[in-house]
Amino acid sequence: MKLYNLRHPEEQVSFAQAVKSGMGRDRGLFFPTEIPLLTDLNMLLSLPFVERSQRIIDAWIGDELGSDNVRRMVKTAFDFPLKLVKVDSQRSTLELFHGPTLAFKDFGARFMAQCLSEFAAGQSTTILTATSGDTGAAVAHAFYGLPGIRVVVLYPEGKISPLQEKLFCTLGGNIHTIAVSGDFDACQELVKKAFVDDDLQQSLNLNSANSINISRLLAQICYYFEAVAGIYTDIPPVIAVPSGNFGNLTAGLLARAMGLPVKRFIAATNSNDTVPRYLKNRVWAPAKTVATASNAMDVADPSNWPRVEAVFAAMKWSLGDLEGVAINEKQTIESLRELYACGYIAEPHAAVAAAALKKSLRTGEHGIFLGTAHPAKFKESVEQTLGLSIDLPPALLAVADHEILSERLAADFDQFKSHLLSVLNKKS
Ligand SMILES: *Cc1c(COP(=O)(O)O)cnc(C)c1O
């Protein structure tokens, strides 16, 4: 697999280089020079999830890593179930939250951990990532205890749910967590700066693990095939993706580019609606990030957007075919209630996508919204909205009264840098 830098197309790298460096020159995102087209789709859709996923990923990186390696990596990473659940006559949901940290980010993080240990070759590496909630937990768990790898996770203090914080800030060991006084964009900015800082690069051998890492996107392509395999008749489904940084939607578009029959995608956002506004008037005008109940989607300036446009350009699709729907807080609550009336307990992120899907579906269409997090991760807001009580699943029960081990820092690069250098150099 070859990839190029979207900002400097002359910079071309292998998959291994793209995974290890995260970003290219001037923070440019890597994008594949070619998108493989899958043949014999009906056969592929009839396969079990892991076997099908092995073939999908092999089509991208089998040439570089060898098919046996790819099969082993996919099997190790995807060791938890996913489920397609019918919600009402027109909508189903693909539940992607049955992994170790109860969110879809386990798919990308666990596969990326496989890739990085494959490429690390004995070198000590620091994974540095910013999270608005679920990435941090997924990455911390995926790398917890892996030899030669340290993980540093930044998150906006007070802006992720208490249980989410428990899930990844209590691990210790090779996992370092930092609560930044600022929003997610401020955390992301610190991470971006660290990656272009020579001192940090040299002393820590930095690696990115947020949704800009290409290995995560490859992993996420796989579950779109599972969604379509579950309901595909002769009418391709509409798929609504609850979006923040737009990695998930990018993966869906790549799946479609590989040949997966999808009628259209809906980019569903909360009130952080930069993309729906852009799709309407073609002016990119990020507003200030606002805090919502679907906090993992509180992103005003989504970093994967150039890749979304790159898929459309590569496939000569019209961006006009992408539907953007923003759902406000009131509509999110209504959607949660409406889903519950259908007998389904969702959480705010899925509820945003479900509401966007409902708005968009026409007669005769069937739609799937992605279920990106377990309702128990957003226990307080779900219980309050629906007036019920949700049992904690074992993964959360186990950490509910563990101590938070995070450091607190201001959103200031110089402070952040000296903290990183002192703490990490000491403990390495
Ligand atoms: C990260 C996340 C999203 C947004 O996914 P992107 O790939 O950043 O668009 C949606 N829902 C949940 C629960 C998440 O954790």
Side-chain angles (χ1 to χ4, degrees):
M1 181 183 190
K2 279 259 167 287
L3 302 105
Y4 70 99
N5 177 337
L6 285 175
R7 287 217 172 130
H8 295 282
E10 71 285 359
E11 182 185 0
Q12 296 213 355
V13 295
S14 64
F15 177 68
Q17 286 165 322
V19 170
K20 284 194 283 185
S21 54
M23 274 182 279
R25 199 148 58 81
D26 290 339
R27 304 175 180 185
L29 299 172
F30 289 121
F31 191 80
T33 54
E34 265 176 72
I35 300 174
L37 188 65
L38 294 168
T39 51
D40 208 353
L41 221 58
N42 286 335
M43 183 280 295
L44 201 67
L45 289 176
S46 72
L47 293 175
F49 177 66
V50 170
E51 202 178 326
R52 182 191 318 116
S53 302
Q54 289 168 328
R55 294 187 193 211
I56 293 166
I57 298 210
D58 188 65
W60 291 96
I61 57 174
D63 57 342
E64 193 175 320
L65 279 90
S67 297
D68 288 346
N69 275 335
V70 170
R71 272 199 291 277
R72 175 183 44 76
M73 291 159 69
V74 171
K75 190 158 182 260
T76 312
F78 296 170
D79 65 346
F80 55 91
L82 67 174
K83 287 183 205 156
L84 188 71
V85 178
K86 199 163 162 65
V87 170
D88 59 23
S89 61
Q90 269 194 301
R91 290 179 300 175
S92 303
T93 181
L94 185 68
E95 295 186 344
L96 299 168
F97 49 72
H98 300 290
T101 71
L102 309 174
F104 81 101
K105 297 205 168 71
D106 284 323
F107 285 93
R110 292 182 59 78
F111 183 67
M112 182 180 56
Q114 287 299 307
C115 293
L116 280 173
S117 18
E118 185 79 12
F119 301 142
Q123 263 184 312
S124 147
T125 297
T126 302
I127 310 287
L128 176 61
T129 190
T131 186
S132 49
D134 292 326
T135 316
V139 166
H141 278 264
F143 288 96
Y144 181 54
L146 282 192
I149 295 188
R150 288 175 299 203
V151 177
V152 179
V153 186
L154 281 72
Y155 63 99
E157 182 171 11
K159 295 203 175 72
I160 68 175
S161 88
L163 278 168
Q164 253 179 339
E165 194 176 19
K166 287 281 183 186
L167 202 48
F168 72 102
C169 302
T170 55
L171 287 166
N174 62 332
I175 311 298
H176 305 266
T177 50
I178 301 178
V180 174
S181 51
D183 57 19
F184 171 69
D185 291 315
C187 298
Q188 188 152 262
E189 201 50 37
L190 291 176
V191 168
K192 283 180 179 171
K193 282 190 182 152
F195 275 93
V196 293
D197 185 284
D198 290 338
D199 299 339
L200 288 176
Q201 270 297 357
Q202 278 171 17
S203 46
L204 301 175
N205 189 21
L206 287 185
N207 253 285
S208 149
N210 58 21
S211 58
I212 57 176
N213 196 289
I214 192 72
S215 60
R216 294 171 36 112
L217 293 186
L218 294 194
Q220 291 178 245
I221 290 171
C222 299
Y223 52 67
Y224 284 92
F225 284 79
E226 183 74 6
V228 174
I231 66 152
Y232 184 52
T233 49
D234 48 346
I235 311 165
V238 177
I239 300 184
V241 185
S243 295
N245 234 345
F246 282 80
N248 209 359
L249 181 66
T250 305
L253 293 166
L254 286 171
R256 188 181 190 223
M258 293 179 84
L260 185 70
V262 176
K263 187 157 182 195
R264 70 178 174 282
F265 282 98
I266 301 168
T269 70
N270 57 30
S271 305
N272 295 284
D273 60 349
T274 307
V275 166
R277 281 187 289 115
Y278 174 74
L279 290 172
K280 222 161 270 156
N281 58 23
R282 295 303 149 87
V283 182
W284 188 258
K288 210 173 145 33
T289 313
V290 296
T292 73
S294 49
N295 60 41
M297 290 152 57
D298 291 350
V299 183
D301 196 0
S303 49
N304 270 302
W305 185 255
R307 282 182 171 142
V308 169
E309 296 217 3
V311 184
F312 276 86
M315 300 307 292
K316 303 194 168 58
W317 296 338
S318 159
L319 201 53
D321 296 339
L322 180 61
E323 197 169 338
V325 181
I327 298 297
N328 65 29
E329 293 300 275
K330 185 163 165 277
Q331 293 168 318
T332 305
I333 287 175
E334 282 165 8
S335 175
L336 275 172
R337 294 206 172 119
E338 194 249 339
L339 291 167
Y340 187 48
C342 301
Y344 189 75
I345 299 176
E347 49 68 51
H349 304 77
V352 164
L357 185 60
K358 196 178 171 86
K359 268 192 170 179
S360 160
L361 282 180
R362 289 153 223 156
T363 319
E365 289 183 335
H366 193 85
I368 301 166
F369 59 94
L370 300 187
T372 46
H374 194 292
K377 278 191 113 164
F378 298 91
K379 193 173 158 47
E380 290 87 352
S381 74
V382 176
E383 288 184 337
Q384 206 184 4
T385 307
L386 302 182
L388 46 75
S389 108
I390 294 181
D391 293 333
L392 288 187
L396 281 178
L397 261 183
V399 294
D401 45 34
H402 287 193
E403 187 196 349
I404 303 286
L405 301 171
S406 305
E407 299 280 341
R408 299 203 145 64
L409 281 185
D412 175 88
F413 183 69
D414 293 329
Q415 274 185 47
F416 169 59
K417 177 175 171 177
S418 51
H419 176 78
L420 267 186
L421 287 171
S422 69
V423 172
L424 296 182
N425 281 336
K426 231 183 296 165
K427 291 194 185 161
S428 66

